[in-house]
Amino acid sequence: MLTNNKKGVFRLLIFALLQFFICSCNNKPLYYTVADFNNLPKIDIHFHYNTADIRYLKFADSLNIRLISPNVDTEMPIDEQLKITASIKKEYPKKFAFFGTFSVDSFNNAGFAEKTIARIDQCMKAGASGIKIWKNIGMVLKDTSGRNVMVDDLAFEPVFNYLEANKIPLLVHLGEPRNCWLPEERMTVGNDHRYYTKHPQYYMYLHPEQPSYEDQINARDNLLKKHPNLNFTGAHLASLEWNVDELAKRFDLFPNMKADLAARIGHLQYQSLTDRERVRNFLINYQDRILYGSDMTINEQDADFSQVSKGIRARWFEHWAYLATDSVFVIKDLGGQSVKGLQLPRNVVDKIFCKNAEQFFGN
Ligand SMILES: [Zn+2]
């Protein structure tokens, strides 16, 4: 029997041969150039659209980008998020989609599961493409004895059974990047450092009494063991952003698991500084399981449209060019080091940026 490693090499070889064959038949170049960015259809599956201002949607459309906005059980009331996203979806169903969410406020009360299932139905009826759950499960929510409630808690079973039986896609942000449990000087990317300075309540290195990184990952893995048929997308490289081999192991274990790149491309760039081929081969091997997302957020107060949209475009472009071309970038978040783009083959880029997510638009 082939080991996973040999299987990976074998897959890559077949893939390279196929690529060569297809491209020489069509006379198409193997790779995109930066000039292709505007024209190609793209989907950002993780773009928090927290405003009724549709200028940003039109702007995205002008760059051939469709948006999926995940509602999140934090800060802005979830009913307000649902109202905004459902009405944009109704008006622009070909350009916009969203994931609904539910609150865990009543977790310790009788009837939590029934209430949650009713909320899921409400979101799906309002046009949601699926349901998002957030890191408050595992990191904030407590049971009546004051213990952290993890995602594999029995009380969630009816909810996950319901999602699994009804084939409702689930976008899951559980845990945090591994940097969250490390001292500042060992953190690998600048934006993690900035985030935990701003949000010390989530900086687990300061809270050693809280569940460990491994506890968070194990709880998620248990959920997938119990519910192998869940249509599951792990947001933020499924919190295994620090090592593509760790994520590859989960993809092999859980065939219905996918992952988005939201706010973690810096971690791929960090790994590609030392081993570009390993990162590139991982994305080629698992091209059907990776979805592009940026994790950018726009709010009501983002009124300076021209400046905000310029920043958004720059981010989208840099992400796309890193994956699709061999351009060299100076990355501020990596202390100004230069990173060479991965230049993935065209059809891999198409899958990561569009085809893998098209199911959420019902195409
Ligand atoms: Zn997010």
Side-chain angles (χ1 to χ4, degrees):
M1 200 173 132
L2 287 170
T3 61
N4 272 345
N5 204 4
K6 280 192 191 141
K7 263 193 242 168
V9 174
F10 187 65
R11 256 193 306 226
L12 279 171
L13 252 172
I14 297 286
F15 177 76
L17 276 171
L18 264 173
Q19 276 292 306
F20 180 75
F21 184 67
I22 292 167
C23 288
S24 39
C25 287
N26 302 339
N27 254 340
K28 259 193 187 170
L30 261 173
Y31 307 109
Y32 288 121
T33 70
V34 287
D36 294 313
F37 171 73
N38 276 23
N39 295 330
L40 290 163
K42 300 169 282 300
I43 300 176
D44 183 342
I45 78 143
H46 200 135
F47 187 97
H48 297 285
Y49 211 103
N50 294 343
T51 170
D53 182 348
I54 50 125
R55 283 179 301 171
Y56 295 97
L57 181 67
K58 294 196 166 160
F59 176 67
D61 188 41
S62 73
L63 301 171
N64 269 305
I65 300 183
R66 286 176 277 173
L67 301 177
I68 304 184
S69 176
N71 293 179
V72 188
D73 185 19
T74 180
E75 288 162 26
M76 187 174 180
I78 61 171
D79 284 336
E80 202 182 325
Q81 295 178 53
L82 180 61
K83 201 172 148 214
I84 290 175
T85 49
S87 83
I88 302 179
K89 159 85 182 180
K90 213 168 159 197
E91 204 170 337
Y92 302 96
K94 300 254 180 275
K95 305 181 194 311
F96 185 86
F98 71 98
F99 279 74
T101 195
F102 56 84
S103 161
V104 292
D105 288 349
S106 68
F107 179 81
N108 289 308
N109 302 343
F112 167 74
E114 291 77 7
K115 204 174 152 191
T116 303
I117 289 169
R119 169 73 185 187
I120 291 169
D121 283 342
Q122 182 197 354
C123 295
M124 298 311 288
K125 278 195 194 112
S129 298
I131 296 296
K132 154 111 182 214
I133 62 174
W134 199 53
K135 67 184 179 190
N136 53 349
I137 298 172
M139 300 191 79
V140 180
L141 179 64
K142 306 273 191 253
D143 66 14
T144 47
S145 62
R147 268 184 334 114
N148 281 53
V149 175
M150 308 304 281
V151 75
D152 57 345
D153 193 289
L154 281 179
F156 286 120
E157 276 303 283
V159 175
F160 290 118
N161 283 333
Y162 186 79
L163 291 164
E164 191 175 25
N166 290 284
K167 301 187 167 48
I168 296 174
L170 190 58
L171 180 64
V172 172
H173 173 180
L174 288 168
E176 284 287 69
R178 197 175 65 146
N179 281 340
C180 177
W181 282 264
L182 299 178
E184 289 181 39
E185 66 276 11
R186 285 183 57 202
M187 285 193 193
T188 48
V189 301
N191 72 329
D192 285 348
H193 192 268
R194 283 195 302 281
Y195 180 81
Y196 296 116
T197 309
K198 233 169 120 185
H199 301 93
Q201 74 274 30
Y202 296 125
Y203 184 22
M204 289 300 116
Y205 178 70
L206 302 178
H207 307 285
E209 74 289 355
Q210 293 288 312
S212 65
Y213 174 73
E214 289 72 22
D215 292 337
Q216 300 291 352
I217 298 298
N218 289 339
R220 191 275 317 281
D221 286 355
N222 279 339
L223 171 71
L224 284 166
K225 272 179 214 153
K226 285 196 281 185
H227 299 279
N229 296 318
L230 265 179
N231 182 346
F232 184 102
T233 301
H236 312 299
L237 286 170
S239 292
L240 294 162
E241 73 297 323
W242 60 282
N243 187 338
V244 291
D245 297 338
E246 287 296 317
L247 185 52
K249 266 189 228 163
R250 277 23 174 243
F251 281 155
D252 293 339
L253 275 172
F254 308 118
N256 285 311
M257 180 189 190
K258 299 177 280 295
D260 83 20
L261 297 171
R264 300 293 182 268
I265 285 182
H267 289 267
L268 292 184
Q269 290 170 331
Y270 177 79
Q271 291 173 71
S272 65
L273 278 175
T274 47
D275 198 345
R276 179 175 174 270
E277 278 314 292
R278 193 165 61 98
V279 177
R280 188 172 186 275
N281 289 342
F282 164 78
L283 293 169
I284 292 172
N285 269 331
Y286 296 95
Q287 57 188 274
D288 298 312
R289 317 279 291 274
I290 307 277
L291 300 100
Y292 174 68
S294 65
D295 207 18
M296 287 188 279
T297 300
I298 47 156
N299 296 305
E300 216 53 71
Q301 60 265 32
D302 290 323
D304 188 348
F305 173 74
S306 74
Q307 204 189 329
V308 174
S309 56
K310 226 168 121 187
I312 290 173
R313 187 199 183 275
R315 190 84 65 91
W316 277 328
F317 175 75
E318 188 193 292
H319 291 162
W320 186 85
Y322 167 68
L323 293 165
T325 75
D326 61 356
S327 313
V328 175
F329 301 88
V330 174
I331 308 291
K332 228 172 49 199
D333 267 342
L334 299 176
Q337 295 184 80
S338 295
V339 175
K340 187 178 172 191
L342 297 176
Q343 200 178 41
L344 294 167
R346 293 166 77 110
N347 67 329
V348 175
V349 175
D350 294 344
K351 283 183 183 178
I352 292 175
F353 274 89
C354 188
K355 289 189 178 149
N356 293 345
E358 277 192 331
Q359 55 184 311
F360 298 132
F361 279 91
N363 295 352

